[in-house]
Amino acid sequence: MNPKRRYVLVGPGHRAKMYLDAIAGPHRNDAELVGLLEPNPGRLAVQLKRLASAGIDTDAIVTGPPDELERVITKTGADRLIVTSPDYTHAGLIVRGLGAGVDVVVEKPLTIDAESTRKIAEAVQRSGREVVVTHNYRYSPRNSGLKQIVKSNAIGTPLSVTFEWVLDTAHGADYFRRWHRDKTNSGGLLIHKASHHFDLVNWLLADAPAQVYARGGVRFYGAESAAARGMAPGPDRGTHDGEHNPWELDLRSDPYLRELYYDNESHDGYRRDQNVFGPGVTTEDNLAVIVDYDRGATLSYALNAHSPWEGYRMAVNGTEGRAELEVVERTAVLVDAGGNVVVDPSAQPESASRTGGERITVQRHWGLAEDVPIEQGEGGHGGGDALLLSDVFRGPGEDWLERPSNWLDGVRSIAVGMAGNESLRTGLPVKIDDLGLGVDLTRR
C-alpha cells in the first residue's frame, strides 16, 4: 500500500475536473489536495465550491496564483504536482515543480516545442524526479484490445499503420473557440490533439519515430477560409442575445461553463466562446502526416477537424495479417427546430445509415476475418479513465500491455508533432534527431 500523497494542482479549468473529482471521490484515501493554483480568482472559487460540496475541507487547501508554486509546495509539504494548465505553460511549471522537489503528473501534451523539451530533459536529469504524462487513450478497452493483438503476434511483425481521426462540428469546432485556436498556445492540433494518436501508434509498435513529413493548413476555420467561401462575418462570440447559428457556443446554455468561464471574464478577459470563423485562427484544421519508425514501420495519419461525424479508423498491417479498429463515437451533429445543436446520439433517427459503436477485426493471411470482443468498463473512455486514475493515484502494477506512460513516452508523442510542424513550415521531411531534444528516444 502506498502512503496517502499530498497534491498541488495548477490550472483548475475544465480539464482539471477529472483529477479533482478523483481526489474528492474514489481516490480520497489515496490522495489529498493541499494546494490549488489559478490566476483567475473567480475560476478558483468555482472549483473550491465544487470540492466543498463533495465534502472536502477547502479551508485546509492553500491557494494562490501559479507564480507562488514553490511557496505553496514548501508550505504544504506536497509530494506531487498535477499540471492541467494551457499547453504553453506546461514546461515552465514542470521544471519549477521538479526544482522544488516534487514529482509531476502532467496532462498531455508534455510541452509544445523543442526548446522547452530540452529544459524538461535537463530538469529531469538534474532532479532525478518522476514525470508522468497521462495518455488515457492507452487505457480505453478498444485500444488495449488492439495492443493485445499486436503484442501477442497475432498478425506477425507490424510493417505499417494507417490511422484516420475525424473530429466533428461540435468537438472539432470547439478547438477553434478556445485558446487552442492560436497555434503559439498549443503547438496546433499536431501536438495538442494528435499527441494522443501518435502515442497510441508508438505504443502499439513499441517503437520510436525517426522521420516525419506533413502537409496541411487552416482550410476551413478562421476568417480567411470563411471569406474565401463567401461567408459573411458573424458575431465575435457565441454568447449573445438573438438568433444563433450552429457554429456558436452560448456559454449561458451550460451552467458549468457559464460559472467557470463566462461569469469570470472580468478577471482576465478570456473568452471561451470565440467565433470559429473570426480572425486569429492559426491552428491547422486539415492535416496529413507520414512517419517513419526506427525499426522500419511506417505510419500514414490524417486528421480532419470539421467532419459531420466523429471517430477513427486504425489498421495495423503485419507480416501475417491485418488488424483493424473502427470507432464511431458520434454518428452526427444535428440541429433542432430552434437552431440548437444536438449532440445526443439517441436523437439520431432510425433511418440513419451510420450507426455508432466500435469494432476490432483480425484477418490473417489465407483466413477469414474475425471480430474480436471488446470488454467494456464503467466510466469515461469505456472505463479507461478509471484505470488511468488508479495508476496515477495508487501507482501502476505489473501491466503486460505497458499502458503507464513516462516522460520519455510524452516526448516521443510530441516529437512527431514538433517534426510535423517543422515539415509544414519547410515543406521537407524532418528527422527527429535534428530537433535536438536533448534525450535519446530510441527503444532498446
Side-chain angles (χ1 to χ4, degrees), residues 266-277:
S266 61
H267 297 292
D268 56 16
Y270 174 59
R271 291 185 172 186
R272 170 67 177 75
D273 60 344
Q274 297 176 72
N275 179 5
V276 299
F277 299 116

Side-chain angles (χ1 to χ4, degrees), residues 166-178 189 221 247 276 285 304-307 310 330:
V166 291
L167 293 163
D168 65 24
T169 50
H171 186 188
D174 207 39
Y175 290 108
F176 299 87
R177 300 185 182 109
R178 299 178 279 164
L189 292 182
Y221 297 107
W247 296 103
V276 299
D285 49 45
N304 176 279
H306 55 90
S307 171
E310 179 150 332
R330 187 157 48 228

Side-chain angles (χ1 to χ4, degrees), residues 77-228:
D79 303 300
R80 302 181 97 187
L81 170 68
I82 299 176
V83 177
T84 53
S85 53
D87 301 351
Y88 69 92
T89 68
H90 285 187
L93 292 166
I94 292 168
V95 171
R96 290 171 61 196
L98 294 173
V102 297
D103 296 328
V104 180
V105 177
V106 58
E107 180 68 26
K108 65 86 191 166
L110 177 69
T111 186
I112 64 172
D113 56 34
E115 180 182 1
S116 60
T117 303
R118 288 190 290 271
K119 291 179 179 177
I120 294 172
E122 292 167 359
V124 169
Q125 294 160 7
R126 188 168 56 244
S127 68
R129 307 298 302 191
E130 179 184 49
V131 177
V132 174
V133 184
T134 52
H135 284 298
N136 61 341
Y137 280 3
R138 295 182 177 200
Y139 293 81
S140 177
R142 60 205 183 204
N143 299 326
S144 294
L146 186 58
K147 173 70 173 181
Q148 175 94 21
I149 291 164
V150 173
K151 190 172 183 182
S152 64
N153 204 39
I155 57 169
T157 301
L159 302 178
S160 66
V161 178
T162 60
F163 195 170
E164 179 190 24
W165 196 288
V166 291
L167 293 163
D168 65 24
T169 50
H171 186 188
D174 207 39
Y175 290 108
F176 299 87
R177 300 185 182 109
R178 299 178 279 164
W179 52 264
H180 311 71
R181 72 206 308 266
D182 183 349
K183 190 174 180 178
T184 60
N185 290 332
S186 66
L189 292 182
L190 273 186
I191 290 180
H192 176 80
K193 183 63 180 175
S195 62
H196 260 332
H197 312 155
F198 299 139
D199 176 71
L200 276 183
V201 179
N202 297 346
W203 170 62
L204 284 170
L205 298 176
D207 203 352
Q211 181 171 270
V212 179
Y213 177 69
R215 305 305 299 154
V218 184
R219 295 175 178 168
F220 186 80
Y221 297 107
E224 293 183 4
S225 298

Side-chain angles (χ1 to χ4, degrees), residues 9-13 36-45 47 63-67 84-86 268:
L9 184 143
V10 58
L36 197 59
L37 303 177
E38 164 62 42
N40 186 308
R43 196 166 300 132
L44 180 63
Q47 297 293 21
T63 62
D67 59 10
T84 53
S85 53
D268 56 16

Side-chain angles (χ1 to χ4, degrees), residues 225-244:
S225 298
R229 296 196 301 276
M231 293 180 63
D236 62 355
R237 65 179 307 173
T239 306
H240 61 81
D241 295 332
E243 187 176 348
H244 288 71

Side-chain angles (χ1 to χ4, degrees), residues 211-215 419-420 422-431:
Q211 181 171 270
V212 179
Y213 177 69
R215 305 305 299 154
E422 181 65 10
S423 180
L424 289 172
R425 187 184 69 82
T426 64
L428 300 171
V430 175
K431 293 182 178 180

